[in-house]
Amino acid sequence: MSKFECIMTIVDGGYSELVVDASKEAGAKGATIVNARGSTAKETNKFFKLNIQPDKQIVLILCKNNETKKIVESISMKAGMNTKAHALSFVLPVEDAVGMAEIFKD
């Protein structure tokens, strides 16, 4: 079983810090924020026949697998789909990671 997991959270543009703060309150050591564009049919608007896609941000959080549930629950409570942030989180197993010794000292 993997020792680490990656929490990926897709959030409306401008709300990534809310996700980072919620994850740190639950024990995350840090996060990486990536700018992105959404492409769902519901959110795409047209302006002079051009598709305007909403700004999104992806927050990547690497954590120990025993911390994942608490972090995801905190993100959901503070920035989930029922908030202005509309955060959608999912978790992926991490097979291997290097450079983590200083961050995850036991």
Side-chain angles (χ1 to χ4, degrees):
M1 186 157 117
S2 176
K3 183 177 178 180
F4 297 106
E5 292 179 316
C6 179
I7 302 168
M8 297 184 74
T9 301
I10 302 167
V11 64
D12 285 350
Y15 290 96
S16 59
E17 288 301 322
L18 186 62
V19 173
V20 172
D21 292 343
S23 67
K24 285 185 175 181
E25 287 175 19
K29 305 287 191 263
T32 299
I33 300 166
V34 180
N35 291 318
R37 293 267 186 202
S39 67
T40 65
K42 180 181 174 184
E43 294 176 335
T44 302
N45 295 315
K46 294 221 179 228
F47 183 72
F48 292 114
K49 296 185 180 183
L50 296 173
N51 285 336
I52 308 296
Q53 296 169 330
D55 286 332
K56 299 285 185 182
Q57 292 176 305
I58 302 170
V59 181
L60 305 169
I61 302 163
L62 186 64
C63 61
K64 290 184 179 178
N65 59 6
N66 62 344
E67 299 171 338
T68 304
K69 185 175 180 176
K70 184 177 178 183
I71 295 169
V72 170
E73 287 175 352
S74 181
I75 293 169
S76 180
M77 295 260 317
K78 295 183 172 85
M81 292 299 288
N82 295 324
T83 70
K84 290 181 181 182
H86 298 115
L88 170 69
S89 297
F90 55 95
V91 179
L92 299 172
V94 175
E95 184 69 29
D96 199 6
V98 278
M100 305 307 297
E102 288 299 312
I103 296 170
F104 293 106
K105 283 184 184 177
D106 283 330

XYZ file of all heavy atoms in Angstrom:
799
model
N 0.838 -1.181 0.000
C 0.000 0.000 0.000
C 0.885 1.247 0.000
O 1.926 1.292 0.627
C -0.913 0.005 1.223
C -1.920 1.129 1.204
S -3.338 0.754 2.227
C -3.187 2.036 3.433
N 0.428 2.268 -0.686
C 1.183 3.504 -0.805
C 1.220 4.260 0.512
O 0.253 4.286 1.262
C 0.540 4.386 -1.881
O 1.178 5.619 -1.952
N 2.356 4.890 0.786
C 2.500 5.690 2.001
C 1.932 7.096 1.814
O 1.521 7.742 2.760
C 3.980 5.764 2.365
C 4.274 6.488 3.644
C 5.761 6.449 3.962
C 6.048 7.217 5.227
N 7.466 7.215 5.579
N 1.887 7.554 0.552
C 1.414 8.902 0.247
C 0.225 8.872 -0.703
O 0.035 7.911 -1.441
C 2.525 9.726 -0.410
C 3.719 9.940 0.461
C 4.888 9.246 0.219
C 3.684 10.834 1.512
C 5.999 9.432 1.013
C 4.789 11.028 2.326
C 5.952 10.329 2.073
N -0.543 9.955 -0.681
C -1.635 10.156 -1.622
C -1.587 11.598 -2.092
O -1.053 12.468 -1.408
C -2.985 9.847 -0.975
C -3.147 8.372 -0.663
C -4.459 8.022 -0.008
O -4.878 8.752 0.916
O -5.059 7.015 -0.407
N -2.138 11.829 -3.275
C -2.213 13.181 -3.824
C -3.679 13.595 -3.866
O -4.501 12.932 -4.507
C -1.616 13.223 -5.226
S -1.714 14.865 -5.980
N -3.995 14.660 -3.166
C -5.340 15.227 -3.211
C -5.324 16.274 -4.314
O -4.535 17.215 -4.273
C -5.734 15.875 -1.873
C -5.659 14.858 -0.737
C -7.127 16.504 -1.975
C -5.758 15.478 0.644
N -6.187 16.105 -5.306
C -6.313 17.079 -6.382
C -7.661 17.773 -6.224
O -8.698 17.115 -6.172
C -6.222 16.388 -7.740
C -4.872 15.723 -7.960
S -4.701 14.996 -9.598
C -4.492 16.467 -10.561
N -7.616 19.089 -6.136
C -8.838 19.863 -5.967
C -8.948 20.880 -7.091
O -8.053 21.700 -7.277
C -8.853 20.584 -4.602
O -8.738 19.604 -3.559
C -10.139 21.365 -4.408
N -10.047 20.813 -7.835
C -10.330 21.775 -8.894
C -11.273 22.808 -8.290
O -12.321 22.459 -7.738
C -10.973 21.092 -10.105
C -10.058 19.986 -10.629
C -11.293 22.127 -11.189
C -10.716 19.053 -11.615
N -10.898 24.077 -8.392
C -11.646 25.136 -7.725
C -11.800 26.321 -8.675
O -10.972 26.533 -9.567
C -10.919 25.539 -6.409
C -9.562 26.122 -6.671
C -11.754 26.455 -5.560
N -12.869 27.087 -8.512
C -13.049 28.286 -9.317
C -11.882 29.241 -9.100
O -11.328 29.319 -7.996
C -14.368 28.995 -8.957
C -15.587 28.273 -9.517
O -15.425 27.351 -10.335
O -16.717 28.643 -9.135
N -11.502 29.957 -10.152
C -10.378 30.881 -10.088
C -10.507 31.870 -8.950
O -11.587 32.410 -8.699
N -9.428 32.081 -8.231
C -9.401 33.030 -7.128
C -9.698 32.434 -5.762
O -9.584 33.127 -4.749
N -10.061 31.167 -5.723
C -10.411 30.540 -4.444
C -9.388 29.502 -3.987
O -9.622 28.785 -3.008
C -11.801 29.894 -4.521
C -12.917 30.896 -4.590
C -13.461 31.271 -5.814
C -13.416 31.494 -3.444
C -14.483 32.196 -5.893
C -14.436 32.416 -3.503
C -14.973 32.768 -4.731
O -15.983 33.691 -4.801
N -8.271 29.399 -4.653
C -7.291 28.371 -4.290
C -6.732 28.568 -2.881
O -6.468 27.587 -2.186
C -6.155 28.325 -5.306
O -5.508 29.575 -5.376
N -6.553 29.808 -2.463
C -6.016 30.048 -1.115
C -6.971 29.536 -0.034
O -6.530 29.090 1.026
C -5.716 31.531 -0.904
C -4.506 32.019 -1.678
C -3.216 31.277 -1.329
O -2.987 30.943 -0.150
O -2.426 31.032 -2.254
N -8.264 29.575 -0.310
C -9.250 29.025 0.623
C -9.034 27.522 0.793
O -9.071 26.989 1.907
C -10.661 29.315 0.107
C -11.837 28.958 0.993
C -11.791 29.734 2.305
C -13.139 29.247 0.263
N -8.748 26.849 -0.306
C -8.470 25.410 -0.275
C -7.165 25.139 0.468
O -7.096 24.240 1.312
C -8.410 24.832 -1.710
C -7.942 23.379 -1.701
C -9.755 24.960 -2.394
N -6.136 25.926 0.186
C -4.836 25.744 0.846
C -4.980 25.966 2.357
O -4.481 25.168 3.157
C -3.771 26.689 0.245
C -2.481 26.637 1.057
C -3.501 26.331 -1.206
N -5.665 27.023 2.747
C -5.861 27.295 4.176
C -6.620 26.165 4.863
O -6.243 25.732 5.960
C -6.596 28.625 4.382
C -5.763 29.826 3.983
O -4.529 29.701 3.847
O -6.356 30.918 3.807
N -7.677 25.669 4.225
C -8.457 24.571 4.799
C -7.612 23.312 4.936
O -7.701 22.602 5.941
C -9.685 24.290 3.931
N -6.767 23.049 3.945
C -5.929 21.843 4.004
C -4.858 21.957 5.082
O -4.581 20.993 5.794
C -5.300 21.553 2.641
O -4.368 22.553 2.291
N -4.279 23.143 5.243
C -3.253 23.334 6.275
C -3.852 23.224 7.671
O -3.224 22.681 8.580
C -2.547 24.667 6.082
C -1.559 24.655 4.931
C -0.784 25.950 4.843
C 0.274 25.903 3.774
N 1.049 27.142 3.695
N -5.072 23.727 7.844
C -5.743 23.599 9.145
C -5.944 22.131 9.508
O -5.983 21.787 10.688
C -7.102 24.302 9.113
C -7.013 25.806 9.125
C -8.369 26.483 8.977
O -9.402 25.816 9.233
O -8.394 27.668 8.615
N -6.067 21.278 8.503
C -6.289 19.849 8.740
C -5.000 19.043 8.766
O -5.030 17.825 8.870
C -7.228 19.299 7.669
N -3.851 19.711 8.618
C -2.581 19.014 8.753
C -1.715 18.929 7.516
O -0.620 18.360 7.576
N -2.154 19.454 6.393
C -1.317 19.420 5.189
C -0.079 20.283 5.396
O -0.128 21.308 6.074
C -2.113 19.921 3.982
N 1.016 19.875 4.787
C 2.279 20.601 4.936
C 2.444 21.712 3.896
O 3.230 22.619 4.071
C 3.450 19.632 4.793
C 3.406 18.452 5.734
C 3.716 18.845 7.159
C 3.932 17.638 8.030
N 2.779 17.212 8.788
N 1.688 21.645 2.807
C 1.801 22.640 1.747
C 0.972 22.221 0.550
O 0.282 21.213 0.584
N 1.044 23.015 -0.510
C 0.261 22.738 -1.708
C 0.910 23.402 -2.907
O 1.715 24.320 -2.764
C -1.166 23.249 -1.531
N 0.535 22.937 -4.079
C 0.954 23.547 -5.335
C -0.302 23.958 -6.082
O -1.248 23.175 -6.192
C 1.767 22.539 -6.188
O 2.929 22.168 -5.448
C 2.173 23.157 -7.512
N -0.299 25.185 -6.607
C -1.469 25.713 -7.313
C -1.129 25.840 -8.794
O -0.109 26.422 -9.161
C -1.875 27.086 -6.742
C -2.218 26.950 -5.261
C -3.034 27.682 -7.535
C -2.315 28.264 -4.521
N -2.009 25.284 -9.644
C -1.831 25.319 -11.089
C -3.041 26.037 -11.701
O -4.182 25.705 -11.383
C -1.736 23.882 -11.666
C -1.562 23.911 -13.173
C -0.623 23.100 -10.999
N -2.793 27.011 -12.564
C -3.889 27.696 -13.252
C -4.402 26.825 -14.384
O -3.628 26.152 -15.064
C -3.420 29.047 -13.791
C -3.135 30.019 -12.676
O -3.880 30.112 -11.705
N -2.047 30.741 -12.782
N -5.735 26.854 -14.596
C -6.355 25.988 -15.601
C -7.596 26.665 -16.185
O -7.973 27.760 -15.762
C -6.724 24.653 -14.956
N -8.223 26.007 -17.126
C -9.480 26.449 -17.731
C -10.494 25.325 -17.627
O -10.165 24.168 -17.838
C -9.285 26.787 -19.214
C -8.431 27.971 -19.452
C -9.302 29.161 -19.554
N -8.497 30.317 -19.935
C -8.872 31.528 -19.702
N -10.018 31.749 -19.117
N -8.121 32.542 -20.037
N -11.734 25.667 -17.338
C -12.805 24.684 -17.283
C -13.423 24.491 -18.651
O -13.312 25.356 -19.516
N -14.109 23.369 -18.857
C -14.720 23.139 -20.154
C -16.044 22.389 -20.077
O -16.384 21.640 -20.976
C -13.759 22.383 -21.068
O -13.548 21.086 -20.585
N -16.803 22.559 -19.010
C -18.100 21.899 -18.938
C -19.114 22.670 -19.768
O -19.040 23.886 -19.902
C -18.611 21.793 -17.489
O -18.856 23.102 -16.990
C -17.622 21.069 -16.604
N -20.063 21.972 -20.333
C -21.085 22.610 -21.174
C -21.906 23.603 -20.367
O -22.331 24.641 -20.876
C -21.995 21.544 -21.779
N -22.122 23.323 -19.108
C -22.927 24.196 -18.247
C -22.270 25.565 -18.046
O -22.940 26.578 -17.970
C -23.139 23.511 -16.894
C -23.947 24.312 -15.911
C -24.081 23.567 -14.584
C -24.758 24.432 -13.557
N -24.806 23.789 -12.257
N -20.940 25.593 -17.959
C -20.243 26.831 -17.615
C -19.745 27.620 -18.821
O -19.382 28.765 -18.693
C -19.048 26.514 -16.713
C -19.461 25.966 -15.376
C -18.265 25.566 -14.549
O -17.205 25.266 -15.118
O -18.399 25.549 -13.323
N -19.698 27.016 -19.993
C -19.157 27.704 -21.161
C -20.135 28.777 -21.635
O -21.300 28.506 -21.864
C -18.860 26.708 -22.301
O -17.949 25.735 -21.816
C -18.267 27.402 -23.503
N -19.654 29.987 -21.791
C -20.463 31.092 -22.289
C -19.948 31.507 -23.653
O -18.803 31.277 -24.001
C -20.369 32.295 -21.331
C -20.965 31.983 -19.986
O -22.029 31.409 -19.893
N -20.263 32.348 -18.927
N -20.804 32.155 -24.412
C -20.389 32.645 -25.724
C -20.366 34.168 -25.704
O -21.218 34.810 -25.121
C -21.349 32.162 -26.799
C -21.317 30.672 -26.994
C -21.382 30.333 -28.448
C -21.323 28.832 -28.590
N -20.396 28.422 -29.560
N -19.343 34.727 -26.341
C -19.198 36.166 -26.455
C -18.721 36.434 -27.879
O -17.610 36.053 -28.239
C -18.204 36.687 -25.416
C -18.040 38.170 -25.413
C -19.042 38.989 -24.928
C -16.888 38.746 -25.914
C -18.893 40.352 -24.921
C -16.725 40.113 -25.912
C -17.738 40.926 -25.412
N -19.556 37.052 -28.689
C -19.247 37.256 -30.109
C -18.807 35.956 -30.781
O -17.797 35.875 -31.458
C -18.176 38.334 -30.296
C -18.647 39.704 -29.937
C -18.100 40.368 -28.854
C -19.624 40.343 -30.686
C -18.522 41.643 -28.517
C -20.051 41.613 -30.356
C -19.508 42.272 -29.283
N -19.565 34.899 -30.540
C -19.341 33.564 -31.111
C -18.048 32.892 -30.647
O -17.612 31.903 -31.218
C -19.401 33.609 -32.635
C -20.760 33.999 -33.173
C -20.786 33.902 -34.670
C -22.175 34.308 -35.167
N -22.288 34.171 -36.615
N -17.411 33.429 -29.636
C -16.222 32.807 -29.051
C -16.614 32.126 -27.749
O -17.384 32.680 -26.967
C -15.142 33.852 -28.761
C -14.555 34.581 -29.959
C -13.630 35.692 -29.488
C -13.788 33.612 -30.835
N -16.093 30.931 -27.526
C -16.341 30.251 -26.258
C -15.487 30.885 -25.170
O -14.269 30.995 -25.313
C -16.017 28.760 -26.351
C -17.069 28.002 -27.124
O -18.207 28.425 -27.232
N -16.677 26.865 -27.662
N -16.127 31.293 -24.101
C -15.427 31.841 -22.943
C -15.491 30.784 -21.849
O -16.559 30.445 -21.359
C -16.075 33.153 -22.438
C -16.226 34.155 -23.581
C -15.307 33.707 -21.263
C -14.915 34.610 -24.176
N -14.328 30.243 -21.488
C -14.289 29.195 -20.486
C -13.827 29.790 -19.156
O -12.906 30.608 -19.128
C -13.360 28.078 -20.933
C -13.870 27.402 -22.197
C -12.846 26.481 -22.796
O -11.651 26.696 -22.663
N -13.317 25.452 -23.480
N -14.457 29.383 -18.068
C -14.130 29.959 -16.764
C -12.727 29.594 -16.279
O -12.231 28.502 -16.560
C -15.193 29.369 -15.841
C -15.635 28.122 -16.514
C -15.483 28.339 -17.986
N -12.116 30.541 -15.573
C -10.821 30.271 -14.954
C -11.000 29.274 -13.819
O -11.941 29.368 -13.032
C -10.211 31.555 -14.386
C -9.686 32.467 -15.467
O -9.308 31.960 -16.539
O -9.646 33.686 -15.247
N -10.105 28.344 -13.743
C -10.063 27.345 -12.674
C -8.652 27.312 -12.130
O -7.702 27.798 -12.749
C -10.437 25.952 -13.191
C -11.824 25.838 -13.774
C -12.854 25.831 -12.695
C -14.233 25.593 -13.309
N -15.274 25.624 -12.296
N -8.514 26.730 -10.971
C -7.202 26.459 -10.406
C -7.235 25.041 -9.869
O -8.265 24.555 -9.412
C -6.873 27.458 -9.298
C -6.677 28.867 -9.846
C -6.451 29.892 -8.755
O -7.249 30.007 -7.843
N -5.360 30.629 -8.871
N -6.104 24.371 -9.979
C -5.973 23.017 -9.449
C -4.987 23.085 -8.294
O -3.877 23.588 -8.447
C -5.479 22.036 -10.520
C -6.447 22.033 -11.702
C -5.308 20.639 -9.930
C -5.930 21.290 -12.904
N -5.425 22.607 -7.141
C -4.572 22.586 -5.959
C -4.130 21.141 -5.741
O -4.960 20.245 -5.593
C -5.318 23.125 -4.713
C -4.400 23.114 -3.497
C -5.870 24.523 -4.976
N -2.813 20.927 -5.756
C -2.230 19.603 -5.544
C -1.650 19.534 -4.141
O -0.847 20.392 -3.760
C -1.126 19.343 -6.569
C -1.511 19.500 -8.035
C -0.260 19.474 -8.905
C -2.464 18.409 -8.445
N -2.050 18.530 -3.401
C -1.573 18.364 -2.025
C -1.064 16.936 -1.868
O -1.808 15.977 -2.069
C -2.704 18.629 -1.008
C -3.255 20.034 -1.187
C -2.215 18.377 0.417
C -4.598 20.252 -0.537
N 0.200 16.798 -1.530
C 0.781 15.491 -1.251
C 0.735 15.295 0.262
O 1.197 16.158 1.014
C 2.213 15.409 -1.766
C 2.893 14.047 -1.666
C 2.176 13.025 -2.547
C 4.348 14.155 -2.052
N 0.165 14.186 0.700
C 0.053 13.952 2.144
C 0.197 12.465 2.438
O 0.133 11.627 1.547
C -1.286 14.468 2.672
S -2.722 13.673 1.948
N 0.425 12.165 3.706
C 0.459 10.772 4.135
C -0.965 10.223 4.052
O -1.929 10.934 4.308
C 0.985 10.661 5.560
C 2.454 10.982 5.678
C 2.939 10.769 7.097
C 4.424 11.057 7.214
N 4.903 10.892 8.588
N -1.066 8.939 3.698
C -2.394 8.380 3.470
C -3.290 8.394 4.714
O -4.503 8.417 4.586
C -2.319 6.984 2.849
C -1.570 5.995 3.688
O -1.171 6.285 4.810
N -1.344 4.815 3.137
N -2.721 8.432 5.900
C -3.553 8.481 7.104
C -4.059 9.900 7.415
O -4.847 10.084 8.333
C -2.812 7.902 8.314
C -1.555 8.678 8.668
O -1.047 9.469 7.875
N -1.049 8.434 9.862
N -3.612 10.898 6.656
C -4.060 12.288 6.845
C -5.091 12.710 5.795
O -5.739 13.738 5.936
C -2.861 13.234 6.754
C -1.789 12.996 7.791
C -0.524 13.792 7.531
O -0.281 14.199 6.367
O 0.230 14.008 8.482
N -5.231 11.926 4.755
C -6.034 12.312 3.594
C -7.484 12.634 3.940
O -8.006 13.684 3.546
C -6.004 11.198 2.526
O -4.647 10.922 2.196
C -6.762 11.601 1.281
N -8.146 11.757 4.641
C -9.579 11.926 4.917
C -9.855 13.240 5.650
O -10.778 13.983 5.289
C -10.115 10.749 5.723
C -11.608 10.812 5.944
C -12.130 9.583 6.636
C -13.631 9.729 6.819
N -14.235 8.552 7.404
N -9.068 13.544 6.654
C -9.256 14.772 7.428
C -9.069 16.010 6.539
O -9.824 16.980 6.634
C -8.277 14.800 8.599
C -8.451 15.971 9.530
C -7.487 15.883 10.708
C -7.636 17.096 11.600
N -6.692 17.087 12.711
N -8.075 15.982 5.658
C -7.799 17.117 4.774
C -8.935 17.303 3.767
O -9.425 18.414 3.565
C -6.438 16.945 4.068
C -5.300 16.990 5.101
C -6.243 18.010 2.996
C -3.950 16.567 4.563
N -9.373 16.209 3.135
C -10.456 16.295 2.149
C -11.742 16.793 2.801
O -12.460 17.623 2.235
C -10.675 14.929 1.454
C -11.942 14.935 0.615
C -9.480 14.569 0.595
N -12.038 16.333 3.995
C -13.239 16.793 4.700
C -13.158 18.283 5.014
O -14.151 19.013 4.896
C -13.451 15.986 5.974
C -13.943 14.572 5.696
C -14.033 13.715 6.948
O -13.569 14.139 8.035
O -14.554 12.593 6.830
N -11.995 18.763 5.406
C -11.819 20.183 5.701
C -12.013 21.028 4.439
O -12.677 22.072 4.473
C -10.427 20.427 6.294
O -10.246 21.791 6.596
N -11.451 20.578 3.326
C -11.627 21.291 2.059
C -13.103 21.333 1.680
O -13.630 22.378 1.292
C -10.787 20.638 0.938
C -9.293 20.818 1.204
C -11.171 21.203 -0.432
C -8.400 19.984 0.301
N -13.776 20.207 1.811
C -15.194 20.127 1.457
C -16.047 21.058 2.313
O -16.956 21.723 1.807
C -15.680 18.685 1.603
O -17.040 18.599 1.274
N -15.741 21.126 3.592
C -16.527 21.984 4.499
C -16.330 23.466 4.196
O -17.272 24.241 4.216
C -16.129 21.718 5.954
C -16.448 20.342 6.447
S -17.923 20.206 7.443
C -17.873 21.579 8.507
N -15.096 23.865 3.893
C -14.782 25.289 3.749
C -14.823 25.807 2.315
O -14.976 27.000 2.090
C -13.422 25.568 4.371
C -13.447 25.335 5.877
C -12.141 25.682 6.523
C -12.260 25.628 8.025
N -12.081 24.321 8.600
N -14.685 24.898 1.329
C -14.614 25.353 -0.065
C -15.339 24.415 -1.028
O -15.129 24.490 -2.226
C -13.150 25.480 -0.488
N -16.194 23.560 -0.509
C -16.839 22.540 -1.328
C -17.831 23.062 -2.352
O -17.971 24.273 -2.565
N -18.534 22.152 -2.980
C -19.468 22.484 -4.056
C -20.604 23.403 -3.603
O -21.192 24.088 -4.423
C -20.055 21.194 -4.652
C -19.029 20.362 -5.401
S -18.279 21.214 -6.800
C -19.622 21.220 -7.958
N -20.909 23.428 -2.328
C -21.985 24.285 -1.822
C -21.488 25.660 -1.390
O -22.195 26.381 -0.692
C -22.718 23.597 -0.656
C -23.445 22.350 -1.120
O -23.972 22.299 -2.224
N -23.455 21.335 -0.278
N -20.289 26.021 -1.777
C -19.724 27.342 -1.474
C -19.439 28.070 -2.790
O -19.576 27.492 -3.869
C -18.414 27.223 -0.666
O -17.394 26.687 -1.525
C -18.578 26.338 0.569
N -19.016 29.314 -2.698
C -18.671 30.083 -3.902
C -17.454 29.507 -4.622
O -17.270 29.721 -5.810
C -18.403 31.538 -3.539
C -19.626 32.290 -3.129
C -19.293 33.740 -2.800
C -20.545 34.480 -2.374
N -20.263 35.884 -2.092
N -16.624 28.776 -3.910
C -15.416 28.200 -4.498
C -15.713 27.021 -5.420
O -14.971 26.753 -6.352
C -14.464 27.755 -3.390
N -16.782 26.288 -5.164
C -17.187 25.119 -5.955
C -16.059 24.102 -6.118
O -15.812 23.589 -7.214
C -17.710 25.532 -7.332
C -18.921 26.380 -7.265
N -18.915 27.682 -7.686
C -20.164 26.134 -6.804
C -20.101 28.219 -7.498
N -20.881 27.292 -6.952
N -15.365 23.800 -5.029
C -14.230 22.874 -5.088
C -14.679 21.429 -5.270
O -15.615 20.969 -4.631
C -13.392 22.999 -3.825
N -13.988 20.744 -6.155
C -14.198 19.331 -6.405
C -12.876 18.631 -6.132
O -11.866 18.930 -6.781
C -14.621 19.104 -7.862
C -14.648 17.669 -8.354
C -15.767 16.900 -7.671
C -14.815 17.632 -9.857
N -12.860 17.729 -5.160
C -11.624 17.044 -4.779
C -11.691 15.564 -5.105
O -12.758 14.949 -5.023
C -11.372 17.188 -3.267
O -11.180 18.523 -2.919
N -10.541 15.012 -5.470
C -10.410 13.570 -5.604
C -8.989 13.187 -5.209
O -8.104 14.026 -5.161
C -10.771 13.062 -7.007
C -10.009 13.707 -8.132
C -8.865 13.110 -8.650
C -10.448 14.899 -8.681
C -8.176 13.700 -9.698
C -9.765 15.491 -9.732
C -8.627 14.894 -10.246
N -8.804 11.920 -4.900
C -7.534 11.443 -4.339
C -6.941 10.365 -5.251
O -7.644 9.475 -5.719
C -7.758 10.859 -2.923
C -6.463 10.344 -2.335
C -8.390 11.909 -2.013
N -5.631 10.487 -5.475
C -4.902 9.498 -6.261
C -3.777 8.907 -5.420
O -3.104 9.637 -4.680
C -4.291 10.146 -7.507
C -5.269 10.774 -8.495
C -4.503 11.547 -9.557
C -6.134 9.715 -9.128
N -3.546 7.596 -5.521
C -2.415 7.007 -4.798
C -1.095 7.444 -5.432
O -1.024 7.661 -6.635
C -2.630 5.501 -4.956
C -3.452 5.369 -6.190
C -4.291 6.609 -6.287
N -0.084 7.575 -4.608
C 1.251 7.936 -5.087
C 2.141 6.724 -4.914
O 2.361 6.260 -3.795
C 1.808 9.150 -4.303
C 3.242 9.440 -4.716
C 0.920 10.369 -4.517
N 2.622 6.220 -6.029
C 3.442 5.014 -6.015
C 4.785 5.257 -5.339
O 5.271 4.455 -4.554
C 3.648 4.517 -7.448
C 4.393 3.219 -7.560
C 3.602 2.032 -7.042
O 2.362 2.072 -7.112
O 4.239 1.074 -6.562
N 5.406 6.390 -5.659
C 6.733 6.680 -5.137
C 6.917 8.196 -5.113
O 6.328 8.910 -5.923
C 7.798 6.025 -6.010
C 9.140 5.892 -5.317
O 9.228 6.209 -4.114
O 10.100 5.480 -5.981
N 7.712 8.689 -4.194
C 7.991 10.121 -4.103
C 9.428 10.316 -3.626
O 9.905 9.576 -2.770
C 7.024 10.799 -3.133
N 10.104 11.304 -4.192
C 11.455 11.646 -3.768
C 11.480 13.095 -3.326
O 10.663 13.902 -3.737
C 12.497 11.442 -4.898
C 12.920 10.014 -5.011
C 11.987 11.951 -6.208
N 12.424 13.423 -2.451
C 12.550 14.787 -1.967
C 11.587 15.140 -0.862
O 11.340 16.303 -0.576
N 11.023 14.138 -0.210
C 10.007 14.386 0.810
C 10.553 14.255 2.234
O 9.835 14.493 3.184
C 8.843 13.398 0.643
C 8.226 13.414 -0.743
S 7.718 15.050 -1.299
C 6.495 15.439 -0.112
N 11.794 13.899 2.389
C 12.344 13.625 3.725
C 12.228 14.811 4.662
O 11.850 14.661 5.817
C 13.803 13.186 3.593
N 12.528 16.000 4.194
C 12.480 17.185 5.054
C 11.050 17.575 5.409
O 10.789 18.071 6.487
C 13.186 18.358 4.379
C 14.689 18.225 4.338
C 15.290 18.160 5.732
O 14.936 18.986 6.591
O 16.128 17.264 5.966
N 10.123 17.361 4.485
C 8.729 17.771 4.716
C 8.029 16.800 5.667
O 7.276 17.214 6.535
C 7.981 17.843 3.366
C 8.609 18.922 2.499
C 6.497 18.143 3.579
C 8.122 18.935 1.066
N 8.281 15.503 5.494
C 7.559 14.496 6.265
C 8.464 13.790 7.272
O 8.436 12.573 7.379
C 6.916 13.475 5.328
C 5.817 14.053 4.489
C 6.014 14.307 3.145
C 4.593 14.349 5.048
C 5.007 14.839 2.368
C 3.568 14.867 4.287
C 3.776 15.120 2.945
N 9.234 14.532 8.024
C 10.068 13.928 9.059
C 9.188 13.274 10.104
O 8.184 13.804 10.526
C 10.911 15.008 9.754
C 12.090 15.471 8.967
C 12.893 16.463 9.784
C 14.030 17.008 8.993
N 14.775 18.031 9.737
N 9.580 12.082 10.520
C 8.840 11.383 11.598
C 9.640 11.358 12.855
O 10.800 11.280 12.914
C 8.510 9.962 11.160
C 7.342 9.916 10.196
O 6.464 10.778 10.280
O 7.311 8.998 9.386
